[in-house]
Amino acid sequence: MGIVLKQSFKNTLFIYLGFVFGGINTLFLYTRFLEDEYYGLVTFLLSSSNLLMPLIALGIHHTIVKFFSSYYTKVEKDKFLSAILFLPLLVALPMGFLGNAFYEQISNYLSEENPIIKNYTFVIYLIAFTCAYFEVFYAWAKVQFQSVFGNILKELWNRVVVMILLFAVYFEFISKAEFIYYLTAAYFLRMFVMMFYAFRLYFPKFTFSRPENFNEIMRYSIYIILAGSAGAIILDIDKFMIPGKESLEKAAYYSVAVFIGSFIEAPSRAMLNILQPLTSKTLNEENHAEVASLYKKSSINLLLISGFFFVIINTNVQQLFNLLPQEYAGGVLVVFMISLLKMYNGFLGNNGAIINNSKYYKVTLPFSVGMALSVYFLNKLFYYDLEMGTDGLALATLIVIFTANTGKILFVKSKFSMTPFTNKSFIMILIIAMMYLVFNFWDFNVPVVELFGFPIHPIINIALKSLLITLIYFFIIIKFNISNDITRLYNRFTNSNQ
């Protein structure tokens, strides 16, 4: 786990630095510098592009991770990369042509409830295209076991750009409409930076020769593109559906709650950036003992870290909403449900990487399609029919992902005879539950403090409670030796300071 922990630590730092910028943008700047309607518009455009991106990418970013380590000579690797690099254009170019030909009909349909969307519909395609090729070149770097720079571009770049642009709007250097155009340009620039970095790591000798297993590669890509598209529906269909029933402002309010709840997934994203190519390599080498070891270690470490942030966020969530305008304050249940499912995602460890990079990858398609259909119909039931509001959207996502994740654990157990459970997993779950119950129903009695009309006392309350939780949580973790990796890091730190 040495390379995993080393790069995961760096990736986690940059992901959380990105979350800091994203948090400032989401909680303070978007809500004050940009009108709720425009914030909702940005949320809708980005979510819609996320739905389109997997289709344009053609699954190539997953294909690179799965197959690259199976080639042993530079000639074979160059054939492989040459063959797949331009495949996304087979989808992107016809899609762009059709989008241009039927632009009026598409934009009218999307803007039926919110006319402001009409003039920006083309942005969805442009951002989807740049994100697709960014992921292709990011995967190119990952298989060289260099995930940190791409992670910086993925997690930090856009949030820093958004912050700069929001201040530009505030000081009237640019208009709110220009904000969206400059943001689109930033996505293009990010794609080109990632491309140049990937080519610097490994520049192939381009050839028209195809690898011997090209048909297998195409079959895998087709399955993954369908599974990836279904997966994107699960993640972003809720934000896409809100403007079809309510105002764009409601999408903005929901987006803030989802952002807060998603904060805990950073360790999972950081570790999986390096675990994916490593899992693929060990599977290609048929080293199942190492795969099982990675499975258990990644699961307990991610449960430990995700559980910590689950407790921190949910025991302080009311104070967090006290920092926001009143319109945003109704998302406590959304935060709880989203953070719960993100914690469960962490508990799976590299489960998804095992399935996607094994000979059983085809099962991802029925899994993903079933999840997509389920979340769509549950959203319609809870949000439209039962009028449960955005709580219903979060509940639908929680039910579907909880059920699917449990199915994935059982699938890997049946095919590989391995589970993510260790003898400390259930102890860890009990610790998380007890910490949540102990700290959730009270706050420090901090007097009201304001600075230039901005409330400071919720920040003081959050800081005090978080410090107390941190000390108790990690004392228990070390005392019970929940994770050998965490205990080893603690011992190394304490010994170096003696």
Side-chain angles (χ1 to χ4, degrees):
M1 287 285 284
I3 187 173
V4 176
L5 285 176
K6 184 177 180 181
Q7 292 207 28
S8 295
F9 178 72
K10 293 179 180 178
N11 285 335
T12 301
L13 286 180
F14 286 116
I15 286 175
Y16 273 121
L17 186 58
F19 265 105
V20 169
F21 279 95
I24 294 171
N25 293 339
T26 301
L27 302 179
F28 306 113
L29 304 187
Y30 266 129
T31 56
R32 289 169 171 81
F33 292 179
L34 210 61
E35 294 173 10
D36 291 347
E37 184 182 36
Y38 271 93
Y39 182 18
L41 174 63
V42 172
T43 299
F44 173 79
L45 295 175
L46 296 181
S47 296
S48 301
S49 69
N50 287 339
L51 293 174
L52 203 58
M53 187 279 284
L55 193 62
I56 294 177
L58 204 61
I60 297 303
H61 50 308
H62 296 294
T63 305
I64 291 174
V65 171
K66 175 171 172 59
F67 287 100
F68 185 82
S69 62
S70 67
Y71 301 107
Y72 297 101
T73 68
K74 188 176 189 307
V75 173
E76 290 176 323
K77 292 176 179 178
D78 290 353
K79 286 182 181 179
F80 169 66
L81 293 174
S82 299
I84 65 171
L85 180 59
F86 301 103
L87 287 179
L89 294 177
L90 297 179
V91 175
L93 294 179
M95 184 182 291
F97 174 79
L98 292 173
N100 183 63
F102 297 98
Y103 184 82
E104 195 68 22
Q105 293 89 330
I106 296 170
S107 60
N108 284 337
Y109 172 75
L110 293 177
S111 61
E112 189 173 347
E113 292 292 329
N114 294 277
I116 193 175
I117 294 172
K118 182 178 175 63
N119 294 331
Y120 302 96
T121 306
F122 71 95
V123 170
I124 297 172
Y125 171 79
L126 295 178
I127 292 179
F129 176 84
T130 62
C131 288
Y133 261 105
F134 172 84
E135 291 294 341
V136 169
F137 291 118
Y138 187 17
W140 193 299
K142 283 181 186 178
V143 295
Q144 307 301 322
F145 297 107
Q146 298 295 327
S147 65
V148 176
F149 182 73
N151 187 57
I152 294 172
L153 291 180
K154 184 171 184 175
E155 304 294 343
L156 201 55
W157 174 284
N158 290 337
R159 287 158 176 164
V160 172
V161 167
V162 164
M163 179 175 286
I164 293 170
L165 293 178
L166 285 172
F167 275 107
V169 171
Y170 178 74
F171 290 111
E172 298 183 351
F173 295 144
I174 62 174
S175 67
K176 295 178 178 67
E178 289 173 330
F179 170 89
I180 295 173
Y181 299 140
Y182 280 113
L183 182 59
T184 305
Y187 274 92
F188 271 94
L189 183 58
R190 184 187 68 154
M191 176 189 69
F192 286 122
V193 171
M194 189 71 241
M195 180 184 73
F196 289 128
Y197 178 74
F199 284 156
R200 190 170 71 84
L201 290 175
Y202 186 94
F203 192 83
K205 181 180 179 181
F206 288 104
T207 174
F208 290 105
S209 300
R210 300 190 307 184
E212 293 180 2
N213 61 337
F214 184 73
N215 290 336
E216 181 187 357
I217 291 169
M218 289 304 299
R219 283 196 300 270
Y220 178 81
S221 296
I222 290 170
Y223 268 94
I224 291 299
I225 184 180
L226 294 173
S229 298
I233 290 173
I234 298 163
L235 295 175
D236 287 289
I237 190 66
D238 45 8
K239 301 185 200 75
F240 180 81
M241 291 176 75
I242 290 173
K245 180 187 178 186
E246 301 184 72
S247 65
L248 281 169
E249 288 89 337
K250 199 71 173 179
Y253 306 152
Y254 180 68
S255 180
V256 169
V258 170
F259 173 84
I260 296 172
S262 299
F263 187 82
I264 73 170
E265 74 174 342
S268 301
R269 285 158 55 179
M271 188 174 285
L272 289 176
N273 281 336
I274 190 64
L275 272 176
Q276 286 173 348
L278 201 57
T279 302
S280 175
K281 184 174 183 294
T282 52
L283 283 169
N284 286 332
E285 295 169 352
E286 298 186 357
N287 188 353
H288 285 198
E290 181 62 19
V291 173
S293 175
L294 288 172
Y295 194 21
K296 291 182 183 294
K297 288 181 179 179
S298 61
S299 173
I300 192 65
N301 287 330
L302 289 175
L303 177 62
L304 187 158
I305 301 298
S306 299
F308 168 70
F309 286 107
F310 173 84
V311 175
I312 289 286
I313 288 170
N314 284 284
T315 57
N316 286 301
V317 67
Q318 198 58 61
Q319 297 295 327
L320 278 170
F321 279 115
N322 288 340
L323 296 170
L324 300 176
Q326 186 62 37
E327 297 85 358
Y328 290 83
V332 173
L333 270 178
V334 173
V335 171
F336 177 81
M337 288 185 281
I338 295 298
S339 61
L340 185 62
L341 71 86
K342 296 295 184 183
M343 182 171 64
Y344 193 17
N345 283 347
F347 177 61
L348 262 65
N350 65 333
N351 175 285
I354 293 172
I355 297 174
N356 290 342
N357 293 288
S358 73
K359 62 183 179 180
Y360 304 108
Y361 67 85
K362 292 181 180 180
V363 78
T364 58
L365 179 58
F367 257 114
S368 299
V369 171
M371 291 168 67
L373 291 174
S374 299
V375 80
Y376 174 76
F377 287 113
L378 283 177
N379 276 344
K380 289 198 71 174
L381 174 65
F382 295 155
Y383 187 59
Y384 285 95
D385 299 337
L386 300 181
E387 298 286 346
M388 293 175 64
T390 51
D391 289 346
L393 296 174
L395 178 60
T397 306
L398 175 62
I399 291 172
V400 170
I401 293 183
F402 187 90
T403 304
N405 283 353
T406 304
K408 289 178 181 178
I409 291 175
L410 296 174
F411 181 82
V412 170
K413 184 180 187 303
S414 69
K415 298 299 182 182
F416 295 91
S417 299
M418 60 180 74
T419 72
F421 307 116
T422 72
N423 58 348
K424 301 295 177 65
S425 297
F426 294 105
I427 297 174
M428 189 67 248
I429 293 170
L430 183 61
I431 291 170
I432 294 168
M434 292 301 298
M435 291 289 291
Y436 171 75
L437 292 173
V438 168
F439 286 94
N440 187 52
F441 301 103
W442 61 273
D443 290 300
F444 286 97
N445 189 21
V446 178
V448 175
V449 181
E450 292 188 350
L451 183 64
F452 302 111
F454 183 80
I456 301 297
H457 52 285
I459 298 176
I460 298 172
N461 213 315
I462 292 170
L464 291 173
K465 188 186 277 192
S466 298
L467 177 61
L468 185 59
I469 290 171
T470 301
L471 293 173
I472 296 174
Y473 189 90
F474 283 100
F475 173 79
I476 297 173
I477 296 305
I478 300 299
K479 189 72 174 176
F480 284 90
N481 191 25
I482 298 296
S483 165
N484 293 331
D485 294 306
I486 299 297
T487 302
R488 194 179 301 116
L489 287 173
Y490 171 77
N491 291 335
R492 186 185 305 170
F493 175 79
T494 54
N495 291 335
S496 66
N497 286 279
Q498 289 180 353

